[in-house]
Amino acid sequence: MIIERAEVIVTSPSRNFVTLRLTTDEGLIGLGDATLNGREHSVVAYLQEHVVPLLIGMDAHRIEDTWQFLYRGAYWRRGPVTMTAISAVDVALWDLKAQAAGMPLYQLLGGASRKGLLAYGHASGNDTEELFDSIRHHLERGFRAIRVQTAVPGVRAVYGVPHDVTVSNGVRSQEYEPASRGAYPAEEDWDTRAYLRHVPTVFGAVRTEFGPELPLLHDGHHRMTPIQAASLGKSLEPYDLFWLEDCTPAENQEALRLVRQHTTTPLAIGEVFNSVWDYQGLIREQLIDYVRSSVTHTGGITHLRRILDFAAQYQVKSGMHGPTDISPVGMAAAMHLGLAIHNFGIQEFMPHSAKTNSVFAQSFTWKDGLLHPGEQPGLGVTLDVDEAGKYPYEQAYLPFNRLADGTVHDW
Ligand code: CS2
Ligand code: MG
């Protein structure tokens, strides 16, 4: 199975996506997600200029060898751009191998370990009433686990809460999408003390309204110092969170030691990580409970599986990143991997827009709160190139934060 063509396809149906498309001499087509939100063209260039020329004529069956060749052979290792580019190649090769075998990819990864993947949705609100509506809306759409984000009094724009929600017949019609199109990132504001006072009251209200059973999650989005995160974890203990995510900026692994000493609230981290080395201390010292890496940004199925196998020795589980900036191709890869591994925890699931689904045909199912990748050979995703061509790239940025005195803060 020889790679004859390798194309990098950029499309922007409702947000930007980058896809690597490999075609073999037998006419099979394999896809890999190469989307790095807000920095898309860095991965396009990495692939087009440096990787595509190496792929032509290569044996598509040699997944492990190709991974090692691209990782070690580049000399310059790790980093989001490199690891996203390697992931796209890795996933496209797994897609091809599974199609050649005539099996859905999860079968090649060891077969199904469960019926489907518990997935959580994003509920949010500017006030309690809006938040409760959003939670009910998600429960009606079948979600059995909910991430809760709310506005904070005195703060203009908060991560996870849409600014311009439209509600018709009691249903919120807009999903939260942080990246905005334009030539400059949107500026948001932040006040950690106001946030720390407010969040426990929100979880108290949610538990009173929805009872003790519903798994609830929360994303701190890298904004707290270690002692602030410790204090939040402690104040949320009565509300029994499934996890508190990214409580501190993720690059400082030692921070989690301090947080862990003070709270039993389960911790999830790693959506901005890209290699097993980012997790080494966190997993070995049992400082986290969930690995947030996506297949897309962490060197593909080959490398994320390695991280998760290491994590399994310490009872740390998967919690793969799945916002809309993970393309349908990246989501499919996550679902196949999540179905196969033993230490699956939960999958983040933000449904893609109708326009995105018109570009990417997908085989996954969503039933009884569980995702399943479907039974088509390979990943189960096809890319309609003509449809993709209708939506050219548009510059887009994630927002950034400034404190009241003008200092830039983690967003
Ligand atoms: C997030 C993301 O889903 C999450 O947990 O933290 O929404 C994140 O902000 C985006 O993926 C950034 O591109
Ligand atoms: Mg997050």
Side-chain angles (χ1 to χ4, degrees), residues 3 55 58-71 86 89-90 93:
I3 299 171
L55 297 177
M58 195 179 250
D59 178 359
H61 274 305
R62 300 185 65 182
I63 299 177
E64 178 68 28
D65 184 66
T66 304
W67 197 96
Q68 300 298 343
F69 171 59
L70 293 177
Y71 182 81
I86 294 178
V89 177
D90 184 76
L93 294 181

Side-chain angles (χ1 to χ4, degrees), residues 76-409:
W76 309 107
R77 297 172 187 203
R78 308 163 60 186
V81 177
T82 299
M83 296 305 272
T84 302
I86 294 178
S87 167
V89 177
D90 184 76
V91 171
L93 294 181
W94 277 110
D95 189 14
L96 287 171
K97 193 187 275 295
Q99 287 179 52
M103 289 181 188
L105 175 54
Y106 74 82
Q107 293 290 10
L108 264 58
L109 302 175
S113 287
R114 56 193 54 77
K115 285 187 288 188
L117 310 177
L118 175 69
Y120 72 91
H122 290 192
S124 62
N126 284 293
D127 52 33
T128 314
E129 196 190 315
E130 227 180 74
L131 175 64
F132 286 4
D133 280 353
S134 175
I135 294 175
R136 282 191 203 100
H137 175 52
H138 279 82
L139 294 174
E140 281 156 20
R141 288 159 86 195
F143 283 98
R144 296 291 169 264
I146 310 271
R147 188 185 86 164
V148 171
Q149 305 293 135
T150 64
V152 175
V155 180
R156 200 169 30 87
V158 176
Y159 165 78
V161 185
H163 309 231
D164 45 353
V165 187
T166 51
V167 181
S168 86
N169 296 331
V171 174
R172 294 155 56 86
S173 62
Q174 195 200 314
E175 292 283 350
Y176 175 69
E177 176 54 77
S180 57
R181 293 171 171 191
Y184 201 80
E187 183 176 321
E188 297 189 347
D189 54 343
W190 184 244
D191 178 346
T192 309
R193 292 187 67 233
Y195 164 79
L196 292 177
R197 281 194 305 273
H198 186 59
V199 173
T201 68
V202 172
F203 276 88
V206 171
R207 278 289 177 227
T208 305
E209 180 71 13
F210 294 93
E213 282 296 327
L214 182 63
L216 298 175
L217 302 85
H218 181 68
D219 192 343
H221 227 253
H222 326 269
R223 292 166 186 213
M224 287 164 272
T225 64
I227 202 70
Q228 288 169 338
S231 149
L232 180 65
K234 212 169 177 175
S235 58
L236 290 177
E237 278 169 23
Y239 313 115
D240 184 28
L241 263 62
F242 185 97
W243 79 33
L244 171 62
E245 174 186 350
D246 284 338
C247 59
T248 56
E251 54 268 44
N252 180 12
Q253 298 193 22
E254 285 169 41
L256 275 295
R257 240 181 248 152
L258 192 143
V259 181
R260 197 62 146 181
Q261 274 167 24
H262 291 283
T263 181
T264 55
T265 293
L267 302 174
I269 215 159
E271 70 182 35
V272 300
F273 288 176
N274 45 68
S275 93
V276 69
W277 306 106
D278 298 318
Y279 284 102
Q280 198 178 22
L282 293 179
I283 292 175
R284 208 186 41 220
E285 289 187 46
Q286 306 186 83
L287 301 181
I288 57 167
D289 302 280
Y290 296 93
V291 164
R292 284 289 286 143
S293 279
S294 63
V295 171
T296 303
H297 300 137
T298 319
I301 285 175
T302 297
H303 195 67
L304 184 53
R305 173 139 213 184
R306 217 146 264 166
I307 297 173
L308 292 172
D309 283 345
F310 172 46
Q313 311 314 311
Y314 299 88
Q315 291 173 285
V316 174
K317 294 179 192 241
S318 73
M320 287 178 230
H321 195 210
T324 42
D325 43 293
I326 303 295
S327 87
V329 176
M331 284 301 292
M335 289 184 221
H336 284 281
L337 182 58
L339 196 68
I341 56 173
H342 177 250
N343 56 329
F344 170 80
I346 199 165
Q347 174 64 52
E348 183 179 20
F349 175 42
M350 269 181 96
H352 284 113
S353 71
K355 259 192 208 170
T356 296
N357 294 339
S358 75
V359 172
F360 297 92
Q362 299 151 70
S363 65
F364 81 89
T365 57
W366 169 238
K367 207 172 155 251
D368 303 328
L370 300 181
L371 287 167
H372 190 286
E375 299 297 341
Q376 272 180 29
L379 283 173
V381 183
T382 54
L383 171 67
D384 182 332
V385 179
D386 294 335
E387 200 60 24
K390 290 184 190 164
Y391 306 108
Y393 173 80
E394 285 186 56
Q395 184 91 37
Y397 284 104
L398 287 165
F400 75 109
N401 259 337
R402 283 192 195 278
L403 304 178
D405 70 355
T407 308
V408 171
H409 191 69

